[in-house]
Amino acid sequence: MSQVGVHATMPAALVGRREQLRRLTELLSLAEVGSGQVTVVRGEAGIGKTRLLAEVVGVAASKGWLTRTAAASEIDETRAFGAVADALRVSLAAVDPRLVEIARQMDGRESRAPSLERVPVEVHRIADELVGYVETLCSSAPLALVVENLHWADSSTLVFLRRLVQLCPQHPVLVLLSVRPTDRPEVEVLVRTAAGAGGALVDLEPLDFGSVCELAEQILWGQPGPRLSAQLQRTSGNPLLVVELLSTARQRELLTRTATGQVEIEDADLPVGIDVTVLHHLSVLPAETVDLLRTAAILGQTIDLAELALVTGRAMLELAGPVRAAVQARIVETAGGQLSFRHDLIHDALYQDWPPQVRKALHNEFGRLLAASGAPSYKVAHHLALGAEWGDSEAVRWLQRAGLEVAPLAPLAGTKLLQRGADLARLDDPVRDVIRTDLAFALVWAGRVADGERLAREVIAETAVADLRGRASWWLASSLLNRGRVEEARGVCSRALAAGVDDGRTRILLLLTEAIASMSLGVHEPVLGRMRDLLEDARRLGDANVRSRCLVGLEMAEANEGRLDEAAEHGAEAVRDAETLPPAEMVVAPAHVCYAWLLEERDCLDDALDTVGRLRRLSGALPRSPSAALLDVACARFHFLAGRWDVALADLDAALAWEEPGSGSWADALVFRAAIALHRGQPARAHDDLALVEREIASGGACWAVDHFALARAFSLEVTGRPSDAVDALSPVWHLAETVPLAMVKVEIGPHLARWSLAAGDPGTALAVAGAVEVLARANPGATRLRAAAIWSRGVAESDADLLLEVVRPEHRVARPLDRGLACEDAAAALATAGSAVPAGRLLAEAIEHYDALGASQRISSARSRLRALGVHAGARGRRRRPVAGWAALTDAEMQVVELVAERLSNPEIAERLFVSRRTVETHVSHALAKLGFASRRQLVAAAADRDGPEGGARTLRPA
């Protein structure tokens, strides 16, 4: 018998995973033609995830694909966009200037404020930039993007991957992800998102014993004998353990080849665990190499030679020999230009071999050395968090610094750093409450709103610093106000002011928030006077941000009392002040959205959209935050009222894709989506959305579009044939509008409440409603919308056909298409009741025309039924239905986007061209692909070229 060498630890062919490889290769083929795919490979450590993905990437590379790969490590949990930045080669030293700019944004520490309440969440903005870069890569060649070890990835990397997973079906990209079983909820969300988007989830089980023997045979160039087979059974089908067991047996010279060609092992009971295997490998290495590897294990999975030289006090040239020995022993490998431990289990074995107290001391020492060398704060903080003792003020301040830098980019990672800093700080350390206050902000950014508000309350109750108490109180009150918990917000402000606040800026903001809360609660006090006084204080302070907010408060108070001209003047001034702010502050200021709302109330819907578009242009790429979602919902609201319902749905999808329960934007988005579904004859969809809003309100959440919510519920109840049900839905909101007051809510629901009150046999209420709307109209003689609403309400209350005819005449009629149809319907009913069936029929036909343009099939059916009962018919003309498929099925907005796709513009470029959000563009592209029956943008571009003809020239893709 002869000794046997182990010729390779990586077998030539993939063993035991042929079915999984076939499946992933099929996905590769689908992605190659432009229909992107995503796969999550899940399994325990050492089970072969990396090997399987490497095989797929190899196939992709052989076909000329671009390939980008990276793996997260433990330190990446606090490194914003760590793994994805590595994969896409984002660096200040990158050749591509776009990657350099993204790297600057990630590293923009000097541009961030020393506290978090004035800094917007930037994670989604940078995620969008990275997604746009991936789109650019895909335009030149298919892309295989691999990100391994999701269980260690930071939260911002997971945000990026969720975005990419949702978008990748439009592009020639294969996203390959690997993960161990984990209890991290954000990782599970990504896995569910991938599965929901049609992605493949591949669970790698242990190899069967036949595959284990096949793997051993490839490594040994011979079939294992009985004794060796018994040893291999102890690996439980884990490929890494098979490889390591055979490598250990070879190093100990225990393998021999029998006369029959089998490979056998001497009678020895080899340890199977990876830790003892690694320690055996170390036993044959020089002592200096072993010491170096043990030190490197403290630094992390990836070995940075400069850091290793720093902490060992040796020149990098001196490290060359020991590192070369580690590579030859296959403890360390080179991949992607980096040195790292061959497997994270090997790193773990070396790391765990240190006694816990020694590990802790080394982390502490290494953290201080890295801090002195100018290393990134997240690295310093990582080591100090693991090594510092309670009361270590230097570690506390490093954790605070790193948390402030990381939180806007990766909120969950930021909370971990800030929480550790707060835990380490002494109770009498003044920075402790500062950290806890910023931690409260970061918790809300990370979606843990209740935890953030609870911590803010603790700071308010415990801190002895008046200004810090005021700062935390203003932030807490703002959060509560945004979530509709108005009375609590008012109480927080009142208590903070009573306790005393020295900082003039914070004091004004607290007084302003208290006044807004009081106004919302209908507290009878001179709110307008208070708002004017606060504005004067803000003017003396000279802070444009505070002044703009005070102008918005005055604008809201004036609008709620029906003083639209004065409100418009102050709203425009608030916008001018906001536009002097840095983009980061301009984004979170409320001036543009509130002024756009006021323009909406004056029926200047296109001007309202222009105002929001101006904010997008001036502020640049918006972070995905409550402010950005608010813009999406505001745009959807304006498009809904203007009758552009398909465009509104695209904006609503963009908002709902990011927003979660707990914000007014989320509930408002559901309200308008429900309204469209209701009028288009989709009652189940409408019912589900309205039920979600009701639960949100019942749980203390916010819904600012209370008038539209009440109207949607009333219209849904109208079909029961009991108008009193609709009245019951609207009456509480009407009473609220009288109490607060909310003047413009009366204008929105007045004509409808009058109609249903009269139908329910309550003419007194109908007349009272009409009178209230008329008072508002007289106070605003230049507001055509108020005048039309007053005439409409009076005409309905008195069943006055002449008044209703006046409101549908071109010079006086309501401007909004849905309201126009309803007004025509009311006029037709009044004429029919008066015996004028022929003109009633014409008005019914006009109402149906308006409904038809909206696709409001339910309204058409309701109008026909209502007038049929009065003996009026609109004739047998069929509806002009938009086709559901083909080029003619595209809406104007979808066609506009398709034309730009045909010019090979990316989604970010289209969004910039049209001044809409990227998510809105993505939704339009997705809808267009579905209607045209295409699987990818590539097919869309080719089809557009065919429609454009061989001559080229100006592209016009309008349906023939």
Side-chain angles (χ1 to χ4, degrees), residues 780-798:
N780 296 273
T784 56
R785 178 178 176 230
L786 270 65
R787 182 175 184 277
I791 297 171
W792 184 7
S793 300
R794 178 62 64 181
V796 168
E798 297 182 356

Side-chain angles (χ1 to χ4, degrees), residues 727 731 734-735 750 753-754 756-758 761-772 797:
V727 172
S731 293
W734 179 266
H735 295 314
L753 180 57
W756 285 317
S757 295
L758 188 66
D762 185 3
T765 295
L767 291 169
V769 166

Side-chain angles (χ1 to χ4, degrees), residues 373-455:
S373 72
S377 60
Y378 77 88
K379 283 191 175 182
V380 176
H382 169 79
H383 289 290
L384 292 181
L386 293 172
E389 299 286 351
W390 182 78
D392 186 334
S393 59
E394 182 181 359
V396 168
R397 280 155 180 78
W398 270 103
L399 288 160
Q400 179 192 24
R401 173 181 167 182
L404 290 175
E405 291 175 5
V406 169
L409 302 176
L412 277 175
T415 63
K416 293 176 182 177
L417 291 165
L418 292 169
Q419 183 66 67
R420 181 61 175 154
D423 291 343
L424 287 174
R426 297 180 64 89
L427 297 181
D428 59 354
D429 189 337
V431 81
R432 177 173 179 267
D433 284 338
V434 177
I435 294 176
R436 294 168 76 209
T437 303
D438 282 314
L439 175 58
F441 303 151
L443 284 167
V444 172
W445 289 356
R448 294 168 57 186
V449 178
D451 290 340
E453 291 182 353
R454 174 191 53 75
L455 183 56

Side-chain angles (χ1 to χ4, degrees), residues 866-909:
R866 178 185 180 188
L867 272 296
R868 189 182 302 117
L870 297 173
V872 178
H873 299 272
R877 183 190 61 80
R879 288 183 55 216
R880 296 173 298 171
R881 296 178 181 272
R882 183 189 296 274
V884 297
W887 291 94
L890 300 184
T891 65
D892 289 342
E894 289 165 354
M895 184 65 75
Q896 190 178 23
V897 169
V898 166
E899 288 173 350
L900 295 176
V901 170
E903 294 178 19
R904 300 184 184 275
L905 269 65
S906 67
N907 286 351
E909 291 169 333

Side-chain angles (χ1 to χ4, degrees), residues 9-354:
T9 54
M10 178 68 76
L14 191 64
V15 173
R17 308 297 188 199
R18 293 179 181 85
E19 177 58 30
Q20 292 89 342
L21 180 60
R22 181 195 62 77
R23 186 179 181 188
L24 296 187
T25 305
E26 288 178 353
L27 297 179
L28 188 75
S29 299
L30 289 173
E32 191 168 22
V33 297
S35 181
Q37 304 291 318
V38 58
T39 295
V40 179
V41 179
R42 184 167 58 187
E44 66 183 39
I47 204 66
K49 302 183 294 296
T50 298
R51 180 71 174 91
L52 175 62
L53 296 184
E55 194 79 13
V56 179
V57 170
V59 175
S62 70
K63 293 173 172 286
W65 282 45
L66 297 173
T67 60
R68 298 288 187 271
T69 64
S73 61
E74 283 181 289
I75 199 171
D76 285 325
E77 285 194 74
T78 53
R79 180 166 71 109
F81 294 101
V84 68
D86 290 344
L88 295 179
R89 304 168 188 175
V90 177
S91 166
L92 293 172
V95 175
D96 189 328
R98 189 170 176 184
L99 293 178
V100 174
E101 178 55 31
I102 295 174
R104 285 199 185 101
Q105 293 174 23
M106 291 181 182
D107 194 44
R109 287 169 284 185
E110 70 284 350
S111 66
R112 298 197 184 112
S115 59
L116 294 183
E117 74 266 29
R118 298 184 71 173
V119 180
V121 181
E122 298 179 285
V123 54
H124 298 295
R125 175 173 64 83
I126 293 178
D128 276 345
E129 292 292 333
L130 292 168
V131 168
Y133 180 71
V134 169
E135 288 186 75
T136 301
L137 287 179
C138 292
S139 67
S140 60
L143 170 69
L145 177 66
V146 181
V147 179
E148 293 205 67
N149 296 338
L150 290 184
H151 46 278
W152 282 330
D154 71 283
S155 57
S156 53
T157 290
L158 299 176
V159 167
F160 161 78
L161 290 172
R162 286 202 303 272
R163 291 280 290 109
L164 187 59
V165 162
Q166 293 165 340
L167 185 61
C168 74
Q170 298 180 10
H171 298 282
V173 58
L174 178 61
V175 180
L176 298 168
L177 311 172
S178 75
V179 64
R180 294 183 196 171
T182 178
D183 58 359
R184 285 183 64 189
E186 62 270 26
V187 175
E188 290 304 308
V189 167
L190 173 58
V191 173
R192 289 197 302 270
T193 300
L201 177 59
V202 177
D203 281 307
L204 289 189
E205 303 295 338
L207 296 176
D208 59 60
F209 187 64
S211 297
V212 169
C213 292
E214 183 182 350
L215 174 60
E217 189 170 352
Q218 285 199 27
I219 294 172
L220 300 171
W221 285 355
Q223 183 179 8
R227 290 195 304 274
L228 180 55
S229 295
Q231 291 283 350
L232 290 172
Q233 283 183 323
R234 299 171 58 230
T235 64
S236 301
N238 186 297
L240 179 65
L241 295 184
V242 172
V243 170
E244 295 302 324
L245 183 145
L246 295 177
S247 179
T248 300
R250 179 194 64 80
Q251 286 185 340
R252 293 174 61 176
E253 298 183 348
L254 298 177
L255 299 178
T256 56
R257 194 177 306 278
T258 67
T260 60
Q262 288 185 327
V263 177
E264 196 53 276
I265 190 170
E266 295 182 9
D267 288 325
D269 194 14
L270 287 179
V272 176
I274 191 70
D275 50 350
V276 290
T277 303
V278 170
L279 295 178
H280 173 76
H281 287 330
L282 293 179
S283 67
V284 299
L285 289 173
E288 64 172 345
T289 299
V290 175
D291 290 342
L292 192 69
L293 289 173
R294 285 160 56 85
T295 301
I298 298 292
L299 287 171
Q301 167 73 20
T302 300
I303 302 174
D304 185 316
L305 287 179
E307 291 179 1
L308 192 56
L310 173 70
V311 300
T312 59
R314 301 172 66 180
M316 291 183 64
L317 188 60
E318 294 180 59
L319 303 179
V323 169
R324 186 182 303 110
V327 172
Q328 290 172 345
R330 299 204 71 254
I331 298 292
V332 170
E333 66 180 3
T334 302
Q338 288 186 321
L339 280 172
S340 61
F341 288 97
R342 179 166 56 85
H343 197 283
D344 47 272
L345 289 181
I346 295 175
H347 163 267
D348 293 349
L350 285 163
Y351 180 80
Q352 296 296 333
D353 192 46
W354 288 102

